[in-house]
Amino acid sequence: MDYIIRPEDPPPGTKKELTHIEQVAFQMFIAGFDPIQITFYAALFFLLKHPQILARLTKEIRNSFNNYDEITPDALSNLKYLHAVISESLRAHLTIATGLPRISSGAIVDGVVCHLSSFKAMRGERYLRDPLGFHPERWLSSEHPLYDTRYADDNLKSFFPFGLGPRKCTGREIAWSQTRLFLGKVLWSFDLEGVRGHEKSFDEFKVYVMWNRPELWVRYSPVDR
Ligand code: HEM
Protein backbone atom coordinates (compact mmCIF):
# COMPACT_ATOMS: atom_id res chain seq x y z
CA MET A 1 0.00 0.00 0.00
CA ASP A 2 2.94 2.35 0.72
CA TYR A 3 3.71 2.36 -3.01
CA ILE A 4 0.15 3.27 -3.97
CA ILE A 5 -0.22 6.01 -1.37
CA ARG A 6 2.82 7.09 0.63
CA PRO A 7 2.32 7.60 4.39
CA GLU A 8 3.55 11.20 4.20
CA ASP A 9 1.07 12.11 1.39
CA PRO A 10 -2.29 13.77 2.19
CA PRO A 11 -5.33 11.45 2.05
CA PRO A 12 -7.15 11.23 -1.33
CA GLY A 13 -9.00 14.48 -1.93
CA THR A 14 -11.65 13.44 -4.44
CA LYS A 15 -14.05 10.52 -4.84
CA LYS A 16 -12.41 9.68 -8.17
CA GLU A 17 -8.97 9.48 -6.57
CA LEU A 18 -10.27 7.29 -3.76
CA THR A 19 -12.05 4.94 -6.21
CA HIS A 20 -8.85 4.64 -8.23
CA ILE A 21 -6.81 3.67 -5.17
CA GLU A 22 -9.47 1.17 -4.08
CA GLN A 23 -9.46 -0.44 -7.54
CA VAL A 24 -5.68 -0.73 -7.71
CA ALA A 25 -5.46 -2.13 -4.16
CA PHE A 26 -8.21 -4.68 -4.91
CA GLN A 27 -6.54 -5.72 -8.16
CA MET A 28 -3.17 -6.18 -6.47
CA PHE A 29 -4.78 -8.17 -3.68
CA ILE A 30 -6.50 -10.64 -6.04
CA ALA A 31 -3.75 -10.72 -8.67
CA GLY A 32 -1.00 -11.26 -6.10
CA PHE A 33 -2.70 -14.20 -4.44
CA ASP A 34 -5.14 -16.15 -6.62
CA PRO A 35 -3.05 -17.09 -9.70
CA ILE A 36 -0.11 -18.03 -7.48
CA GLN A 37 -2.17 -20.42 -5.37
CA ILE A 38 -3.59 -21.91 -8.60
CA THR A 39 -0.08 -22.47 -9.93
CA PHE A 40 1.12 -24.13 -6.70
CA TYR A 41 -1.98 -26.35 -6.76
CA ALA A 42 -1.53 -27.14 -10.46
CA ALA A 43 2.11 -28.15 -10.10
CA LEU A 44 1.38 -30.43 -7.12
CA PHE A 45 -1.71 -31.87 -8.80
CA PHE A 46 0.16 -32.91 -11.97
CA LEU A 47 3.31 -34.04 -10.14
CA LEU A 48 1.29 -36.38 -7.93
CA LYS A 49 -0.46 -37.77 -11.01
CA HIS A 50 2.92 -38.44 -12.67
CA PRO A 51 5.30 -39.99 -10.13
CA GLN A 52 8.08 -40.36 -12.71
CA ILE A 53 8.05 -36.62 -13.41
CA LEU A 54 7.93 -35.91 -9.66
CA ALA A 55 10.96 -38.21 -9.17
CA ARG A 56 12.92 -36.48 -11.95
CA LEU A 57 12.18 -33.02 -10.60
CA THR A 58 13.00 -34.03 -7.02
CA LYS A 59 16.30 -35.48 -8.21
CA GLU A 60 17.19 -32.33 -10.16
CA ILE A 61 16.54 -30.14 -7.10
CA ARG A 62 18.31 -32.36 -4.57
CA ASN A 63 21.34 -32.83 -6.83
CA SER A 64 21.70 -29.08 -7.36
CA PHE A 65 22.12 -27.88 -3.77
CA ASN A 66 24.05 -28.77 -0.64
CA ASN A 67 21.67 -27.23 1.87
CA TYR A 68 18.31 -25.47 2.26
CA ASP A 69 19.79 -21.95 2.39
CA GLU A 70 21.42 -22.32 -1.03
CA ILE A 71 17.95 -22.64 -2.58
CA THR A 72 17.29 -19.12 -3.84
CA PRO A 73 15.18 -17.89 -6.78
CA ASP A 74 18.33 -17.00 -8.75
CA ALA A 75 19.94 -20.40 -8.23
CA LEU A 76 16.66 -22.16 -9.07
CA SER A 77 16.33 -20.24 -12.34
CA ASN A 78 19.16 -22.41 -13.75
CA LEU A 79 17.19 -25.63 -13.31
CA LYS A 80 15.84 -26.58 -16.72
CA TYR A 81 13.51 -29.36 -15.66
CA LEU A 82 11.97 -27.17 -12.94
CA HIS A 83 11.36 -24.49 -15.57
CA ALA A 84 9.74 -27.11 -17.81
CA VAL A 85 7.46 -28.42 -15.03
CA ILE A 86 6.29 -24.91 -14.09
CA SER A 87 5.67 -23.98 -17.74
CA GLU A 88 3.66 -27.14 -18.30
CA SER A 89 1.67 -26.52 -15.08
CA LEU A 90 0.86 -22.95 -16.18
CA ARG A 91 -0.21 -24.31 -19.57
CA ALA A 92 -2.21 -27.37 -18.57
CA HIS A 93 -4.11 -25.67 -15.73
CA LEU A 94 -4.23 -22.06 -16.83
CA THR A 95 -5.15 -19.54 -14.22
CA ILE A 96 -7.55 -17.41 -16.27
CA ALA A 97 -9.99 -19.76 -17.93
CA THR A 98 -12.61 -17.19 -18.85
CA GLY A 99 -10.59 -15.41 -21.53
CA LEU A 100 -8.70 -12.15 -21.78
CA PRO A 101 -11.00 -9.21 -22.56
CA ARG A 102 -9.94 -6.98 -25.44
CA ILE A 103 -11.75 -4.11 -27.20
CA SER A 104 -11.98 -4.58 -30.93
CA SER A 105 -10.87 -1.74 -33.20
CA GLY A 106 -11.97 -2.64 -36.68
CA ALA A 107 -11.41 -6.39 -36.92
CA ILE A 108 -14.91 -7.20 -35.60
CA VAL A 109 -17.07 -4.17 -34.76
CA ASP A 110 -15.53 -1.08 -33.20
CA GLY A 111 -15.96 -0.97 -29.44
CA VAL A 112 -17.15 -4.57 -29.06
CA VAL A 113 -15.49 -6.36 -26.16
CA CYS A 114 -14.19 -9.74 -27.27
CA HIS A 115 -12.38 -12.36 -25.23
CA LEU A 116 -9.23 -14.07 -26.35
CA SER A 117 -9.50 -17.70 -25.28
CA SER A 118 -6.24 -18.72 -23.68
CA PHE A 119 -7.93 -22.04 -22.83
CA LYS A 120 -8.33 -22.88 -26.51
CA ALA A 121 -4.82 -21.75 -27.39
CA MET A 122 -2.99 -23.42 -24.54
CA ARG A 123 -5.00 -26.65 -24.40
CA GLY A 124 -5.86 -26.98 -28.09
CA GLU A 125 -4.67 -29.66 -30.54
CA ARG A 126 -4.15 -27.06 -33.22
CA TYR A 127 -0.86 -25.98 -31.61
CA LEU A 128 0.36 -28.78 -29.37
CA ARG A 129 0.81 -32.52 -29.33
CA ASP A 130 -1.36 -34.23 -26.71
CA PRO A 131 -2.42 -30.91 -25.15
CA LEU A 132 -4.54 -32.53 -22.47
CA GLY A 133 -1.56 -34.54 -21.21
CA PHE A 134 1.22 -33.28 -18.92
CA HIS A 135 4.57 -33.31 -20.76
CA PRO A 136 7.34 -31.06 -19.38
CA GLU A 137 9.55 -32.44 -22.18
CA ARG A 138 7.92 -30.06 -24.65
CA TRP A 139 9.74 -27.19 -22.89
CA LEU A 140 13.23 -28.73 -22.99
CA SER A 141 15.82 -27.74 -25.57
CA SER A 142 17.39 -30.37 -27.85
CA GLU A 143 20.58 -30.37 -25.70
CA HIS A 144 18.72 -31.59 -22.63
CA PRO A 145 19.01 -35.36 -21.95
CA LEU A 146 15.21 -35.62 -21.54
CA TYR A 147 14.42 -33.78 -24.80
CA ASP A 148 11.74 -35.64 -26.74
CA THR A 149 11.39 -35.19 -30.51
CA ARG A 150 7.65 -35.94 -30.29
CA TYR A 151 7.10 -32.35 -29.15
CA ALA A 152 9.46 -30.78 -31.69
CA ASP A 153 6.54 -29.40 -33.76
CA ASP A 154 4.69 -27.81 -30.83
CA ASN A 155 3.92 -24.16 -31.45
CA LEU A 156 4.97 -22.66 -28.13
CA LYS A 157 3.76 -19.22 -29.19
CA SER A 158 0.32 -20.45 -28.16
CA PHE A 159 1.57 -20.23 -24.56
CA PHE A 160 0.78 -16.90 -22.91
CA PRO A 161 -0.18 -17.59 -19.28
CA PHE A 162 0.61 -13.99 -18.34
CA GLY A 163 -1.42 -12.44 -21.14
CA LEU A 164 -0.26 -10.45 -24.13
CA GLY A 165 0.42 -6.85 -25.08
CA PRO A 166 0.55 -3.71 -22.96
CA ARG A 167 -1.76 -5.15 -20.27
CA LYS A 168 0.43 -8.22 -19.77
CA CYS A 169 0.81 -9.32 -16.15
CA THR A 170 3.08 -6.95 -14.25
CA GLY A 171 3.75 -9.58 -11.57
CA ARG A 172 5.09 -12.32 -13.84
CA GLU A 173 8.68 -12.23 -12.59
CA ILE A 174 7.46 -12.35 -8.96
CA ALA A 175 5.21 -15.27 -9.93
CA TRP A 176 8.09 -17.21 -11.47
CA SER A 177 10.32 -16.56 -8.45
CA GLN A 178 7.65 -17.57 -5.94
CA THR A 179 6.72 -20.75 -7.79
CA ARG A 180 10.35 -21.81 -8.23
CA LEU A 181 11.01 -21.15 -4.55
CA PHE A 182 7.91 -23.02 -3.44
CA LEU A 183 8.70 -26.16 -5.45
CA GLY A 184 12.44 -25.97 -4.78
CA LYS A 185 12.10 -25.73 -1.00
CA VAL A 186 9.18 -28.16 -0.68
CA LEU A 187 10.82 -30.88 -2.81
CA TRP A 188 14.14 -30.40 -1.06
CA SER A 189 12.49 -30.84 2.34
CA PHE A 190 9.77 -33.43 1.73
CA ASP A 191 8.96 -36.61 -0.15
CA LEU A 192 5.51 -36.06 -1.64
CA GLU A 193 2.80 -38.59 -2.21
CA GLY A 194 -0.91 -38.41 -3.04
CA VAL A 195 -3.26 -39.83 -0.41
CA ARG A 196 -4.91 -43.04 -1.61
CA GLY A 197 -8.68 -42.74 -1.99
CA HIS A 198 -8.46 -38.97 -2.65
CA GLU A 199 -7.38 -39.07 -6.31
CA LYS A 200 -8.89 -36.25 -8.38
CA SER A 201 -9.37 -35.67 -12.09
CA PHE A 202 -9.01 -32.40 -13.99
CA ASP A 203 -12.47 -33.11 -15.44
CA GLU A 204 -13.95 -32.48 -11.98
CA PHE A 205 -12.67 -28.90 -11.97
CA LYS A 206 -15.22 -26.16 -12.67
CA VAL A 207 -14.96 -22.51 -13.65
CA TYR A 208 -17.41 -19.93 -12.31
CA VAL A 209 -15.24 -16.97 -13.32
CA MET A 210 -12.82 -18.29 -10.65
CA TRP A 211 -11.74 -21.94 -10.52
CA ASN A 212 -13.62 -24.28 -8.24
CA ARG A 213 -11.56 -27.38 -7.46
CA PRO A 214 -11.62 -30.23 -4.99
CA GLU A 215 -9.19 -30.33 -2.07
CA LEU A 216 -5.82 -31.78 -2.94
CA TRP A 217 -4.67 -34.35 -0.40
CA VAL A 218 -0.88 -34.57 -0.18
CA ARG A 219 1.29 -36.56 2.24
CA TYR A 220 4.49 -34.63 3.08
CA SER A 221 7.17 -36.87 4.62
CA PRO A 222 10.21 -34.92 5.91
CA VAL A 223 13.45 -36.06 4.27
CA ASP A 224 15.86 -37.66 6.72
CA ARG A 225 19.31 -36.13 6.05
C1 HEM B 1 1.36 -17.55 -11.79
C2 HEM B 1 0.97 -16.36 -11.40
C3 HEM B 1 0.27 -15.35 -12.29
C4 HEM B 1 -0.39 -15.51 -13.48
C5 HEM B 1 -0.56 -16.80 -14.28
C6 HEM B 1 -0.89 -14.20 -13.86
C7 HEM B 1 -1.62 -13.96 -15.02
C8 HEM B 1 -2.11 -12.73 -15.38
C9 HEM B 1 -2.89 -12.46 -16.57
C10 HEM B 1 -3.30 -13.52 -17.61
C11 HEM B 1 -3.18 -11.15 -16.59
C12 HEM B 1 -4.01 -10.41 -17.66
C13 HEM B 1 -3.06 -9.96 -18.77
C14 HEM B 1 -3.75 -9.51 -20.02
O1 HEM B 1 -4.89 -9.04 -19.98
O2 HEM B 1 -3.11 -9.63 -21.10
C15 HEM B 1 -2.59 -10.55 -15.41
C16 HEM B 1 -2.65 -9.22 -15.09
C17 HEM B 1 -2.11 -8.68 -13.96
N1 HEM B 1 -1.34 -9.32 -13.01
FE1 HEM B 1 -0.86 -11.28 -13.00
N2 HEM B 1 -0.54 -13.29 -12.91
C18 HEM B 1 0.17 -13.94 -11.92
C19 HEM B 1 0.71 -13.38 -10.78
C20 HEM B 1 0.68 -12.06 -10.46
C21 HEM B 1 1.29 -11.46 -9.30
C22 HEM B 1 2.10 -12.24 -8.25
C23 HEM B 1 1.01 -10.13 -9.33
C24 HEM B 1 1.42 -9.02 -8.38
C25 HEM B 1 2.15 -9.15 -7.34
C26 HEM B 1 0.23 -9.88 -10.52
C27 HEM B 1 -0.24 -8.65 -10.91
C28 HEM B 1 -0.99 -8.41 -12.04
C29 HEM B 1 -1.54 -7.10 -12.38
C30 HEM B 1 -1.38 -5.81 -11.58
C31 HEM B 1 -2.23 -7.27 -13.60
C32 HEM B 1 -2.99 -6.20 -14.40
C33 HEM B 1 -2.05 -5.57 -15.39
C34 HEM B 1 -2.77 -4.49 -16.20
O3 HEM B 1 -4.00 -4.53 -16.35
O4 HEM B 1 -2.08 -3.59 -16.70
N3 HEM B 1 0.05 -11.07 -11.18
N4 HEM B 1 -1.94 -11.54 -14.69
Side-chain angles (χ1 to χ4, degrees):
M1 255 333 261
D2 285 2
Y3 286 94
I4 298 173
I5 175 167
R6 292 178 304 170
E8 62 272 24
D9 285 349
T14 63
K15 174 109 181 49
K16 189 176 172 190
E17 213 181 333
L18 186 63
T19 305
H20 180 234
I21 290 170
E22 280 170 4
Q23 290 296 322
V24 173
F26 178 71
Q27 194 177 27
M28 289 308 288
F29 174 68
I30 300 290
F33 142 77
D34 191 60
I36 288 283
Q37 63 85 11
I38 293 175
T39 309
F40 290 3
Y41 180 110
L44 292 180
F45 173 81
F46 290 116
L47 286 171
L48 294 175
K49 280 219 167 303
H50 299 89
Q52 199 185 16
I53 298 175
L54 173 61
R56 282 179 187 151
L57 180 61
T58 308
K59 189 170 161 203
E60 181 186 62
I61 290 165
R62 293 188 189 167
N63 286 350
S64 303
F65 301 100
N66 296 308
N67 59 58
Y68 186 86
D69 294 332
E70 278 182 13
I71 307 173
T72 61
D74 277 353
L76 287 162
S77 65
N78 297 319
L79 305 195
K80 305 284 184 273
Y81 200 67
L82 176 63
H83 185 89
V85 166
I86 296 175
S87 301
E88 189 67 349
S89 304
L90 284 165
R91 183 199 68 77
H93 181 336
L94 13 76
T95 57
I96 299 189
T98 48
L100 299 172
R102 295 293 186 262
I103 297 176
S104 156
S105 60
I108 302 179
V109 176
D110 274 2
V112 167
V113 176
C114 25
H115 282 241
L116 171 66
S117 172
S118 32
F119 208 95
K120 185 77 182 150
M122 294 207 267
R123 287 176 58 88
E125 282 191 344
R126 186 166 176 185
Y127 305 108
L128 302 164
R129 186 186 182 103
D130 189 17
L132 305 187
F134 187 76
H135 305 291
E137 296 75 24
R138 68 172 102 246
W139 302 100
L140 297 173
S141 70
S142 54
E143 296 87 56
H144 196 282
L146 295 172
Y147 173 73
D148 188 331
T149 49
R150 278 179 298 172
Y151 305 101
D153 293 333
D154 280 359
N155 184 347
L156 301 181
K157 285 191 184 152
S158 65
F159 176 70
F160 46 89
F162 296 102
L164 290 167
R167 302 306 297 268
K168 196 171 172 178
C169 175
T170 44
R172 56 193 185 278
E173 293 304 328
I174 300 176
W176 269 104
S177 281
Q178 286 185 345
T179 312
R180 282 192 189 110
L181 208 51
F182 169 75
L183 285 175
K185 298 238 171 199
V186 165
L187 294 182
W188 169 266
S189 307
F190 300 97
D191 291 326
L192 301 194
E193 196 188 349
V195 177
R196 201 170 303 155
H198 291 277
E199 294 81 5
K200 306 290 177 221
S201 153
F202 191 80
D203 296 339
E204 295 173 53
F205 297 8
K206 305 261 184 295
V207 177
Y208 303 105
V209 183
M210 312 292 266
W211 281 97
N212 188 314
R213 295 159 312 187
E215 279 180 348
L216 190 60
W217 285 57
V218 188
R219 179 165 291 119
Y220 294 81
S221 308
V223 177
D224 207 5
R225 289 197 167 82

